[in-house]
Amino acid sequence: MSNHGGRSKSLDNGLAVRAAAARALAPVITGKGSLNNLDDHQVVSRDRGLFKELCFGSCRTLCRLEALAGKLLDKPFKARDADIQALLLVGIYQLLYLRIPAHAAVGETAGAARMLNKAWATRVINGCLRRLQRESSALQAEVDRDPAVALLHPKWWLKAFRQAWPDDWRAICEANNQPGPMTLRVNRRHGDRESYLERLDSPGIGARLCLHAPEGLTLDKPRDVASLPGFDEGLVSVQDEAAQLAAVLLGPMIAPRPGARVLDACCAPGGKTAHLLELFDIELQAIDSDDARLARVEDTLSRLGLSAELAHGDATQRDWWDGTSFDAILLDAPCSGSGVIRRHPDIKRLRRPSDIAKLAELQARLLDNLWPLLTPGGTLLYATCSVLPEENADQIADFLARTPDAEVTTPEGVAWGRPAGAGRQLLPSIDSHDGFFYARLRKRAA
């Protein structure tokens, strides 16, 4: 049965999902929005996977798609037609990176312009995509002469990675350009990861044990959390292996002290908060300055049957603090996200070189504000999902230089990461952990 004068419903869905992807991408390519609100877009459930793939994949390869679009267009689209520019990029992405029949990639992408109320663009997009089909090899070879295009990162990112990691910068880019694996954290209150691995056998879900995180399992293929046994009951959560190491590093400090008072500053979305509560008998206060993200922490703890004292608070201030010092503080500081670009590929476009110095200044203010709240003999764990020294090794070196009662206790003989000043740096690794930095500091007893 058909509708709309003989058009099939599947064709309409094909147009709609591409139009939705163009709407979602337009704010990213203009630098005015992120991919954080994809769930707000109306897409039929059957097409949600394709919708997310079009959005994330187009962001991941944006430098290259834009370079090709520049070759295909006689003149750039006007600023008000960013949605049509995004639609063309979505079309190029399908032809080069997805196993979608070319006729569908071309026809349904061009047709989607009508759903954006810009029927005039149908012919333009159709012509560009057909030319790409004819001249694909030559056009790709031409744009790939630019390293920023070939490595799918803006030039300033390549420069930053090369300066920070002269031997590893290419590997960082390659890891950033692959989707990150889906890693789980098994809730030890309900059993160990070996038992959960057995539970995954019956629905035929392949997984392997993480090398460094004792509660971690990495799935062979990402899947909807609804299909994970016991997810709704709190048996398991989604959390990258590198992020799970926060509990490993804080554990020796708080496990011997039942009832230890712990602060999780900048706690959202709550993965590390929950992990600490699953493992240790602690009194935990968690603060964040973003109410919407704090609500997500609440949801996470509720699903897991855990409780903490949650408060809206700015960790550069102390108006949320009751005056009682903490035995341990986790500062998972706001950062560039340069270690998790593979999970948030819009970072490549939305970050600016000037952001790094601003973030480093914020991190320094957070460290200076929180350190006095720590009990003598207590521990502060500084963490970022960055690979840039300004936010990591250099940041901690500067803090130690101005904080005489701080001493380094970051472990040296561990199998993960590499020494980076007073901390340890993990670089993003294909099929393994994200990029992360940790430094563990102890406050000398008076």
Side-chain angles (χ1 to χ4, degrees):
M1 193 165 167
S2 65
N3 58 6
H4 300 296
R7 287 193 323 215
S8 73
K9 195 168 175 73
S10 64
L11 173 61
D12 274 5
N13 287 346
L15 302 178
V17 70
R18 288 160 176 85
R23 283 191 205 100
L25 279 170
V28 177
I29 65 176
T30 55
K32 293 175 183 163
S34 72
L35 292 182
N36 287 347
N37 301 316
L38 288 190
D39 289 340
D40 296 346
H41 291 266
Q42 297 297 309
V43 177
V44 296
S45 57
R46 197 192 66 193
D47 288 335
R48 287 211 73 79
L50 175 59
F51 170 66
K52 290 194 170 177
E53 174 60 41
L54 293 175
C55 293
F56 279 92
S58 296
C59 270
R60 204 166 271 125
T61 53
L62 195 53
C63 289
R64 200 155 183 265
L65 303 183
E66 288 183 324
L68 287 162
K71 299 284 177 194
L72 295 167
L73 287 165
D74 294 333
K75 56 182 184 186
F77 292 114
K78 293 185 169 71
R80 65 171 181 264
D81 294 320
D83 51 353
I84 296 299
Q85 169 77 1
L87 188 58
L88 175 58
L89 301 180
V90 164
I92 298 171
Y93 178 71
Q94 291 168 79
L95 284 178
L96 297 187
Y97 294 99
L98 295 186
R99 291 179 181 165
I100 288 175
H103 67 87
V106 175
E108 297 190 11
T109 303
R114 291 191 194 94
M115 292 205 155
L116 300 171
N117 298 316
K118 294 180 181 175
W120 58 266
T122 301
R123 208 159 74 197
V124 182
I125 291 177
N126 189 58
C128 287
L129 296 180
R130 291 204 180 283
R131 185 181 159 206
L132 179 61
Q133 282 182 279
R134 292 192 304 272
E135 302 173 34
S136 178
S137 299
L139 287 168
Q140 290 187 73
E142 197 179 335
V143 298
D144 283 343
R145 288 190 199 119
D146 180 346
V149 171
L151 291 165
L152 306 178
H153 284 69
K155 283 186 172 62
W156 79 269
W157 273 121
L158 295 185
K159 184 180 174 189
F161 292 149
R162 197 187 279 125
Q163 282 179 341
W165 304 102
D167 298 329
D168 302 283
W169 68 277
R170 277 182 179 276
I172 291 170
C173 290
E174 284 162 14
N176 287 350
N177 294 339
Q178 299 288 327
M182 184 169 174
T183 299
L184 307 180
R185 182 189 77 240
V186 175
N187 184 347
R188 281 255 281 273
R189 292 181 173 219
H190 295 287
D192 57 29
R193 62 179 181 169
E194 288 78 11
S195 311
Y196 192 77
L197 195 57
E198 285 176 27
R199 280 198 68 171
L200 292 177
D201 270 351
S202 54
I205 300 173
R208 63 187 184 279
L209 302 181
C210 288
L211 288 176
H212 310 303
E215 285 80 47
L217 292 171
T218 296
L219 299 183
D220 294 346
K221 285 184 193 154
R223 57 196 306 121
D224 191 314
V225 292
S227 68
L228 297 172
F231 181 84
D232 288 342
E233 294 75 48
L235 269 60
V236 70
S237 299
V238 178
Q239 188 181 36
D240 182 73
E241 180 177 18
Q244 294 185 40
L245 296 172
V248 172
L249 286 164
L250 275 177
M253 312 299 131
I254 56 179
R257 305 169 78 166
R261 222 172 114 73
V262 178
L263 172 67
D264 184 354
C266 318
C267 65
K272 298 179 189 70
T273 319
H275 196 190
L276 291 171
L277 289 166
E278 286 169 4
L279 292 176
F280 307 112
D281 171 17
I282 53 176
E283 184 188 321
L284 191 141
Q285 179 168 10
I287 65 166
D288 202 273
S289 60
D290 184 326
D291 278 329
R293 283 166 58 78
L294 204 56
R296 285 182 61 194
V297 181
E298 203 164 351
D299 292 344
T300 295
L301 297 184
S302 168
R303 178 179 66 83
L304 294 164
L306 301 168
S307 62
E309 185 189 332
L310 296 185
H312 178 273
D314 176 352
T316 65
Q317 308 293 323
R318 295 188 193 158
D319 50 3
W320 49 269
W321 184 46
D322 67 3
T324 309
S325 58
F326 295 97
D327 300 303
I329 295 174
L330 169 60
L331 171 53
D332 189 3
C335 70
S336 63
S338 50
V340 292
I341 284 174
R342 62 190 187 170
R343 300 194 189 278
H344 305 279
D346 47 358
I347 286 173
K348 287 191 219 179
R349 169 55 54 91
L350 300 176
R351 280 270 173 254
R352 298 280 177 268
S354 56
D355 292 342
I356 308 306
K358 289 179 195 156
L359 286 161
E361 189 218 346
L362 172 61
Q363 292 151 4
R365 282 168 52 216
L366 288 163
L367 281 163
D368 290 344
N369 186 56
L370 294 172
W371 187 255
L373 278 50
L374 197 59
T375 306
T379 290
L380 183 143
L381 181 64
Y382 176 81
T384 73
C385 52
S386 169
V387 298
L388 302 180
E390 300 96 308
E391 304 182 273
N392 297 340
D394 296 355
Q395 179 69 260
I396 295 302
D398 290 347
F399 176 73
L400 290 169
R402 64 180 183 266
T403 314
D405 61 346
E407 61 183 10
V408 180
T409 64
T410 311
E412 292 174 8
V414 290
W416 52 266
R418 59 185 74 192
R424 286 192 82 79
Q425 179 74 58
L426 298 107
L427 298 180
S429 172
I430 293 171
D431 294 331
S432 184
H433 53 70
D434 291 340
F436 238 84
F437 174 84
Y438 286 108
R440 195 173 67 190
L441 309 172
R442 182 176 170 275
K443 190 179 214 174
R444 288 193 181 96

